[in-house]
Amino acid sequence: MNAIRYDSSDVAIRMRNVTKIFGKNSLAAQALLDAGRSKTDVQAETGCVIGLNDVSIDVAPSQIFVVMGLSGSGKSTLIRHVNRLIEPTSGEILVDGADVRQMANDELRHFRRHKVAMVFQKFGLLPHRSVLDNVAYGLEVRGVGRHARLEKAAKWIETVGLAGYEKSRPRELSGGQQQRVGLARALALDTDILLMDEAFSALDPLIRSGMQDQLISLQRSLNKTILFITHDFDEALKIGDRVAVLRDGVVQQQGRPEEIVLRPANDHIEQFVRDVNKARAIHVSSIMEQGKFSVCDAAVPPTARCDDVLPLFAANQWVGVIDEFGHQIGRVTSQQVIAALARHTPPARQLLQASPGEQHE
Amino acid sequence: MFPEFVDTRPLRRAVDDALNWVVANWGGAFEAAARPLLGLLNAIQFALLATPWWVIIALVTLAAWLATRQWKLPAIVFAALIFLGVMDLWEDAMITTALMIAATLTAIVVSIPVGVWMSRSLRVRQVITPILDLMQTLPSFVYLIPTVMIFGPGKIPALLATIVYAAPPLVRLTDLGLRSVDPAVIEASRAFGANPGQRLLGVQIPLALPTILAGINQTTMMALAMVVIASMIGAGGLGYQVLQGIGRLEVSRGLFAGLGIVVLAIIFDRVTQSFGKQLQARIGLQEVRI
């Protein structure tokens, strides 16, 4: 398995028992929460809104960690705790070993300028500045000289595919282009950690898919730690190395995408899984026959997903799985893939039962 | 009649005595403190009177053209300035303009920081808003009399009265403009580690600028509205012509000087508004209408 192993020192972002209660009466709300009362109960009794309730996550370096939840689940609150745009009520937040909660104002600014960069759902671009100056904004805040920052900004504008738009104003660009500016602005800071708050949610499906691919390839070349927030389960499965599902401020389940698809922890997650394209979530390495076989004509890396091998079966009976050194470590057949997908698809008998003339339950 | 519960005469007497005491003991100090304001006003007035009329007409018409890039506003501005000259109001118009510019500049220097402060704290806003209401509604004669007592009749009390009356809209609109800046942009600047100064100068003020400009526009208009009252205590200018017209029952003098004030108001209003619109178009924000 290619699960990323790490010990406690090898964690980029660690949140431990983080609770956030919005409202004045947070002590009373905390007491009710500790007594095991639900979010709605606490809100009715104290007027406090529970943003996060005892959230603990570990994000390993160079990983895309996706927090997935519906609106109101607290996912945007969660990501804002990492760079302390929101102060937690209780709990511990460590970024690269540094305790974010203990930072004084100037330490916090230094941390935000050098350690974490953020991309926003609503872009948050400066409307009175050109694309070039927007991308250079973070560097400007950091105190980088004009010439150096514009040069760097121009490079990143090119990387995200916006060359030629340097002098445009943000409002002259489409949503997808604006978010590329937001992405370039964050990447220009060259931080190890990138926070992306529903970065692609405001975009059209096709543009979104393109941006997802671009993000994955950028992450491969830049090796950043990315905390990504989304309400789209498909998006979570597509880009996440690890996924946490959040509901009512509580982490319901976290694990690799296929763990969540194969073993949803509760009905809530089951509901998401039902509608999802499982071929995209299941890695071939988890269903392959291991061992020595004759070398196959077509081969994929172990990180490939069922989605990736399906087209290969049009011309091949077997598809090999090769490790990073080019050695074949196993193989899959179309039957294995179909079996894996079928196993996790809602059984067709529900449809049969509902045939006309039969009585209902 | 309303029954008399308390004898308020001692209170009234205390207020009067306090003012007399201030005039007697601090009059000189106040006058010294206001001298920079007087210097500013005199410098502006000197510059406007020393500049040949045709240079001023050319510059203001050019400004109108730069603000709109059309011929219509420059034509109106040109005609209006010619009207001032032809009606023998040029010098008075320049004196009035100097008073208005000095009051507006002072109001900008004071109001924008106060507006910034208000936008940052609910409590400050709760304290300052009633003061602004008071400044705008208290009849100007009420504070004019003590200021005249302290400074003596002349340009300083006139200028101070104009500032008191003209500054509130700029404070309010600065506060409003800063508070209406898109929170997503503010959050982004926080996330990138901008300090409060970088945030204010790099994000908030530029994005609030159209609203602040609308405030400056309002301030110039309010300052012009004060010129007649200001001239009663020695400011001179077009307001003085109006007063003389009233005093001598010379309707024509009052009418033409009054029209002169209107003409100045039109010039300043249209030119500053056009600059504001141009700025908004550049930033891409929706128009601020007052």
Side-chain angles (χ1 to χ4, degrees), chain A residues 185-196:
Chain A
R185 175 174 68 176
L187 291 172
L189 281 174
D190 216 1
T191 54
D192 295 337
I193 295 172
L194 196 57
L195 305 176
M196 304 188 71

Side-chain angles (χ1 to χ4, degrees), chain A residues 80 83-85 109 112-113 116-118 120 122 124-129 137-138 140-141 169 171 185-186 189, chain B residues 182 184-196 198-199 201-203 206-207 280-285:
Chain A
R80 278 166 178 70
N83 56 357
R84 221 173 90 185
L85 288 173
R109 276 199 286 275
R112 287 175 179 166
R113 287 175 188 177
V116 289
M118 194 162 176
F120 299 88
K122 290 178 187 158
L125 302 176
L126 301 170
H128 61 297
R129 292 176 164 219
Y137 181 70
E140 181 186 335
V141 166
R169 303 266 162 187
R171 75 194 149 88
R185 175 174 68 176
L189 281 174
Chain B
D182 183 359
V185 182
I186 301 282
E187 187 181 47
S189 91
R190 282 179 67 208
F192 284 102
N195 60 34
Q198 286 172 325
R199 194 151 63 242
L201 297 178
V203 180
L207 294 187
Q280 271 159 9
R282 205 156 61 210
I283 298 181
L285 298 171

Side-chain angles (χ1 to χ4, degrees), chain A residues 344-355:
Chain A
H344 309 297
T345 307
R349 63 170 182 277
Q350 285 171 357
L351 296 173
L352 293 173
Q353 277 173 357
S355 58

